[in-house]
Amino acid sequence: MKLKSYGLTAFAVVFMLLCLAWDASAQQPETPDIYEQAENEADRLQRVLDLEDWQVFYVDSTLKHDFPAMVAEFDELKASKVTNSSVYQGVQDKWLDQIDATYKRIFTEEQWNAYLKTGAGKAQKARAKRKAKAEGK
């Protein structure tokens, strides 16, 4: 009889834990999709750099094209079973360089300099360093 009550107790505990886990996962906010992330970044840059509406449009369009293209390239690598993280880093660097080149054409000189000061300058230097190291091998 004791064995039966332990079994019921164990079942009840497991059931409660599953219910709590399900409830916790249901309450967690979903991560925004790639298009929402692009919109959020365009909005952030508008606030930080005081962009004109037409500039925000171009930034948003650029990100909505380049982010999915980068992810598609990642998916191709994943489908090819590429496991070398430096290959993925190279793809990301390529797309981020392209985004920065587009930004440079969209932004005024003052906006570009302010953009570089937000951390983009350090990121560009890090990408250039990785590229030089990869070419040196």
Side-chain angles (χ1 to χ4, degrees), residues 58-77:
Y58 282 116
V59 167
D60 184 65
S61 298
T62 298
L63 295 176
K64 285 183 177 177
H65 171 268
D66 290 357
F67 280 175
M70 180 174 58
V71 169
E73 201 166 334
F74 286 156
D75 290 343
E76 288 176 21
L77 292 172

Side-chain angles (χ1 to χ4, degrees), residues 10-125:
F11 174 76
V13 169
V14 169
F15 181 75
M16 287 175 40
L17 289 174
L18 288 173
C19 288
L20 288 172
W22 178 76
D23 186 49
S25 68
Q27 291 177 0
Q28 290 178 351
E30 291 185 27
T31 57
D33 72 359
I34 200 147
Y35 294 106
E36 288 177 88
Q37 291 175 352
E39 290 172 5
N40 292 340
E41 178 63 7
D43 290 343
R44 184 189 74 82
L45 289 174
Q46 181 181 27
R47 285 189 312 276
V48 171
L49 304 176
D50 194 31
L51 300 179
E52 300 287 330
D53 290 340
W54 67 269
Q55 291 173 306
V56 176
F57 172 79
Y58 282 116
V59 167
D60 184 65
S61 298
T62 298
L63 295 176
K64 285 183 177 177
H65 171 268
D66 290 357
F67 280 175
M70 180 174 58
V71 169
E73 201 166 334
F74 286 156
D75 290 343
E76 288 176 21
L77 292 172
K78 187 176 177 183
S80 299
K81 302 196 185 303
V82 174
T83 58
N84 187 343
S85 63
S86 63
V87 174
Y88 288 90
Q89 185 69 56
V91 168
Q92 181 179 0
D93 287 351
K94 175 186 84 169
W95 284 103
L96 293 177
D97 283 341
Q98 182 171 321
I99 290 169
D100 280 350
T102 303
Y103 283 176
K104 190 166 186 170
R105 290 192 306 269
I106 296 169
F107 298 162
T108 64
E109 188 175 338
E110 294 82 22
Q111 290 169 331
W112 177 250
N113 290 332
Y115 172 70
L116 293 176
K117 289 179 183 176
T118 64
K122 285 183 181 181
Q124 283 181 350
K125 288 177 184 176

